[in-house]
């Protein structure tokens, strides 16, 4: 079964998937294995790895280590064409459709394509949409694009639909890592009603109730990064996983 199929299955059986984003620059190698086993035990469904700006040159080694520690999918969430590794299960092949920067619509993709083929890495075409959470996030700065305002759901809907017509298999609604405010529930539900693709929501989600509301409004996957870097004890994680998987509880 492809990783994409596996993700769809998770969303179907659990109501939504809980994905954790690991930023290679913030990983403490001494604590990685322990952290990963807590993730898996607590009900995390998959690991995303990548960063808008990556300083660490050891991505391959980190992914290899993650893969040897967990049985859940390990998926690259790349900030550019250098973030490709043969050790991952798949890569979100992101096209930054909310922007008009050709480099992130097709440029980095061309640079990465031959390595993805050589590594036999599953590419999951994903329409990536950045929203304005009221703060200049790394992804917005590094991509040199404009963000969609939270109060313009029509702009969000039509971008998502265009991405669907372009053949994307998923839509990622991104408030940016460390965003002050996560994507509003109304934006999630309006996009959900307008398109037929699975929706990933990330950026600024810290609270289980906030996460659950996104699922109730149509999110198929939630991505958490920052909140788990500071607090990843197993009871908090379990609480978050239960909130996201509430349909099966
Ligand atoms: C960023 O959506 C992810 O790409 C996660 O964001 O770090 O704010 O959880 P946080």
């Amino acid at each position: 079964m492809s990783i994409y199929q596996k993700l769809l299955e998770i969303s179907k059986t659990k109501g939504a998937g809980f994905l954790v984003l690991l930023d290679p620059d913030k990983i403490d190698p001494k604590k990685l294995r322990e952290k990963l086993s807590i993730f898996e035990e607590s009900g995390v469904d998959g690991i995303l790895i990548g960063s808008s700006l990556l300083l660490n040159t050891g991505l391959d080694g980190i992914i290899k280590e993650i893969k040897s520690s967990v049985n859940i999918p390990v998926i690259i969430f790349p900030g550019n064409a250098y973030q490709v590794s043969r050790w991952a299960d798949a890569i979100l092949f992101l096209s930054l459709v909310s922007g008009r920067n050709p480099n992130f619509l097709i440029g980095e993709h061309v640079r990465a394509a031959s390595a993805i083929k050589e590594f036999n890495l599953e590419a999951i075409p994903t329409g990536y949409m950045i929203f304005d959470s009221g703060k200049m996030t790394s992804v917005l700065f590094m991509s040199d694009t404009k963000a969609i305002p939270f109060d313009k759901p029509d702009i969000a809907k039509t971008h998502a639909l265009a991405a669907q017509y372009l053949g994307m298999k998923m839509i990622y609604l991104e408030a940016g890592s460390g965003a002050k405010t996560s994507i509003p529930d109304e934006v999630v539900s309006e996009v959900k009603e307008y398109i037929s693709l699975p929706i990933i929501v990330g950026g600024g989600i810290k609270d289980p109730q906030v996460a659950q509301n996104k699922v109730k409004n149509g999110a198929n996957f939630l991505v958490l990064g920052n909140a788990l870097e500071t607090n990843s004890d197993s009871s908090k994680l379990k609480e978050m996983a239960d909130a996201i998987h509430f349909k099966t509880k």
Side-chain angles (χ1 to χ4, degrees), residues 21 26 48 52 77 128 139 172-179 200-206 223-229:
L21 172 64
K26 294 184 185 155
L48 295 186
S52 322
F77 177 49
Y128 191 50
V139 65
Y172 193 132
L173 306 179
E174 173 71 274
S177 194
I200 308 171
V201 178
I205 302 169
K206 304 175 201 85
V223 181
L224 270 87
N226 270 272
L228 307 181
E229 263 148 31

Side-chain angles (χ1 to χ4, degrees), residues 229-243:
E229 263 148 31
T230 45
N231 192 351
S232 60
D233 73 69
S234 62
S235 65
K236 288 271 170 225
L237 267 162
K238 189 96 194 28
E239 204 187 323
M240 183 58 82
D242 287 351

Side-chain angles (χ1 to χ4, degrees), residues 5-248:
Q5 287 299 335
K6 212 176 256 181
L7 290 174
L8 295 186
E9 198 60 32
I10 289 167
S11 165
K12 200 170 144 199
T13 54
K14 299 189 176 183
F18 177 14
L19 305 177
V20 167
L21 172 64
L22 292 179
D23 178 339
D25 288 335
K26 294 184 185 155
I27 288 175
D28 178 348
K30 289 189 217 96
K31 295 191 185 145
L32 182 59
R33 274 185 186 267
E34 189 196 338
K35 223 174 178 179
L36 290 165
S37 72
I38 296 175
F39 287 162
E40 207 168 13
E41 281 163 24
S42 311
V44 169
D45 298 302
I47 306 282
L48 295 186
I49 179 138
S51 180
S52 322
L53 172 66
L54 183 61
L55 309 184
N56 193 319
T57 52
L59 184 67
D60 254 349
I62 294 172
I63 295 181
K64 201 173 171 186
E65 173 143 13
I66 298 173
K67 270 297 295 170
S68 69
S69 314
V70 293
N71 290 311
I72 50 180
V74 178
I75 303 167
I76 300 173
F77 177 49
N80 57 44
Y82 297 110
Q83 296 175 36
V84 174
S85 167
R86 67 172 77 245
W87 303 104
D89 294 308
I91 183 167
L92 291 186
F93 206 57
L94 303 171
S95 189
L96 209 179
V97 295
S98 59
R100 299 295 181 271
N101 181 345
N103 189 45
F104 291 100
L105 286 164
I106 182 66
E108 295 295 323
H109 315 67
V110 174
R111 284 182 200 100
S114 58
I116 291 173
K117 182 176 165 69
E118 188 183 322
F119 298 160
N120 208 14
L121 200 52
E122 178 183 334
I124 304 174
T126 304
Y128 191 50
M129 295 169 44
I130 303 176
F131 287 77
D132 181 2
S133 68
K135 174 184 166 189
M136 175 53 79
T137 54
S138 302
V139 65
L140 196 53
F141 184 87
M142 292 308 296
S143 64
D144 199 12
T145 58
K146 274 193 272 193
I148 300 175
F150 277 163
D151 63 353
K152 301 276 184 217
D154 285 353
I155 295 183
K157 282 158 59 176
T158 44
H159 277 75
L161 187 63
Q164 177 177 318
Y165 290 159
L166 279 167
M168 303 293 161
K169 289 186 170 174
M170 300 183 112
I171 291 290
Y172 193 132
L173 306 179
E174 173 71 274
S177 194
K180 277 196 266 185
T181 322
S182 58
I183 304 281
D185 294 344
E186 309 77 63
V187 172
V188 178
S189 69
E190 291 220 24
V191 172
K192 182 72 179 183
E193 276 166 30
Y194 209 59
I195 64 167
S196 55
L197 296 177
I199 296 177
I200 308 171
V201 178
I205 302 169
K206 304 175 201 85
D207 178 69
Q209 190 57 52
V210 169
Q212 187 171 103
N213 289 341
K214 309 273 176 254
V215 179
K216 287 182 174 160
N217 280 280
N220 298 86
F221 299 94
L222 292 192
V223 181
L224 270 87
N226 270 272
L228 307 181
E229 263 148 31
T230 45
N231 192 351
S232 60
D233 73 69
S234 62
S235 65
K236 288 271 170 225
L237 267 162
K238 189 96 194 28
E239 204 187 323
M240 183 58 82
D242 287 351
I244 293 171
H245 301 144
F246 75 98
K247 287 181 186 163
T248 57

